[in-house]
Amino acid sequence: MLQAQIGGLDYQDFERNNVQASQYILDTIHESTQPPYLVHISSSVVESVADDFYSRSKRRQEQLVLDSGIACPILRPTLMFGWFDRKHLGWLSRFMQKVPVFPIPGHGRYIRQPLYVGDFCDIIIACMEQRDFHEIYNISGQEHIDYIDMIRQIRRCIGARCLITKIPYGLFHRLLATWAVFDRNPPFTTQQLAALVARDEFEIIDWPGIFGVTATPYATAIEETFHDPKYGQIKLEF
């Protein structure tokens, strides 16, 4: 169960996609004579200091799963990236190829723990195949990387020529707010900006050992994301 509303300006979208849809699925499982094995995809934001539409709805969603009494693994991934990413790092990589200047809010030294989606898929597969995981697992990226360094590495990887420029947080906030006036579904919102600078740091557990998978180093994963001959050039519209 990994459907989720991640961004947007209307809380009702988060309510419908993260809370109500999950309740329908849980109700269907309870009605089944042979309940399917459930793997629930929560999020690291349930333990974040941020209080925005996404984190609020994901906390409610996870609590629904806990209250359901259905024994299942609950996986809490951090920021994910990889093939077919129309948002997050995928969108940022395409943006920096189109503009001469790439803005960074404030000093840019915000700790990120990016998780390669290929590794997370391996964890989900392990859960479905072994079916003996029934706890909450914090699936954080194994490396701590500053946001600005992530952006610089992506720029090097894709060969973008934009100038990475730090701008004051307040100005960055106003620019996003202005964008939202003209775009009802903006790729990034002021709430997501606040989450970026919230200084969250999430627990790192030995998920490679627990699930029997291999963690891909960030530098290697970035190369696979953008340079894979089959999938690296596929771009999904936002």
Side-chain angles (χ1 to χ4, degrees):
M1 185 163 72
L2 49 68
Q3 87 290 343
Q5 180 78 22
I6 296 174
L9 303 175
D10 186 349
Y11 181 73
Q12 289 306 309
D13 292 335
F14 295 83
E15 175 75 17
R16 286 191 294 267
N17 293 325
N18 296 352
V19 181
Q20 294 178 2
S22 300
Q23 186 63 67
Y24 294 149
I25 294 170
L26 295 171
D27 290 344
T28 301
I29 291 175
H30 280 299
E31 293 168 1
S32 174
T33 56
Q34 293 183 323
Y37 180 72
L38 175 65
V39 179
H40 174 54
I41 312 305
S42 182
S43 171
S44 61
V45 300
V46 301
E47 294 190 317
S48 170
V49 299
D51 182 26
D52 51 33
F53 291 165
Y54 178 60
S55 59
R56 205 175 304 161
S57 61
K58 289 297 285 188
R59 290 185 187 105
R60 290 186 60 196
Q61 181 193 51
E62 183 177 296
Q63 193 60 50
L64 285 178
V65 176
L66 292 171
D67 293 342
S68 73
I70 299 170
C72 68
I74 294 178
L75 308 178
R76 293 174 174 171
T78 48
L79 168 71
M80 279 189 285
F81 69 96
W83 297 335
F84 319 125
D85 184 3
R86 73 186 186 101
K87 197 171 171 60
H88 295 151
L89 303 190
W91 189 91
L92 292 175
S93 70
R94 294 189 288 277
F95 180 71
M96 69 172 57
Q97 290 176 312
K98 299 176 182 178
V99 297
V101 176
F102 187 95
I104 295 288
H107 51 66
R109 295 293 174 187
Y110 313 113
I111 289 294
R112 301 285 88 186
Q113 295 166 262
L115 177 67
Y116 185 36
V117 71
D119 294 349
F120 193 59
C121 287
D122 288 340
I123 292 173
I124 295 174
I125 291 170
C127 288
M128 293 191 295
E129 290 181 343
Q130 300 178 41
R131 300 197 174 195
D132 56 0
F133 303 105
H134 305 292
E135 300 177 20
I136 297 175
Y137 302 93
N138 292 317
I139 313 298
S140 306
Q142 300 280 296
E143 301 172 61
H144 290 85
I145 307 174
D146 283 338
Y147 174 74
I148 192 170
D149 291 334
M150 285 176 49
I151 296 302
R152 286 169 174 161
Q153 192 152 1
I154 292 173
R155 183 182 64 173
R156 286 194 298 269
C157 184
I158 65 176
R161 298 182 178 181
C162 60
L163 178 66
I164 295 177
T165 304
K166 301 174 186 177
I167 66 175
Y169 176 87
L171 174 58
F172 201 102
H173 188 282
R174 288 193 292 274
L175 290 173
L176 288 182
T178 302
W179 191 335
V181 172
F182 301 98
D183 187 347
R184 298 190 63 182
N185 186 30
F188 290 95
T189 66
T190 54
Q191 290 192 3
Q192 289 170 308
L193 174 63
L196 171 66
V197 303
R199 299 184 183 278
D200 285 321
E201 188 169 334
F202 303 106
E203 176 190 26
I204 295 178
I205 65 172
D206 181 24
W207 50 259
I210 294 171
F211 297 98
V213 302
T214 300
T216 307
Y218 176 73
T220 303
I222 284 292
E223 289 292 329
E224 291 183 3
T225 296
F226 296 111
H227 291 165
D228 181 82
K230 186 174 182 180
Y231 299 118
Q233 302 306 312
I234 295 178
K235 297 178 176 61
L236 302 183
E237 294 296 327
F238 183 80

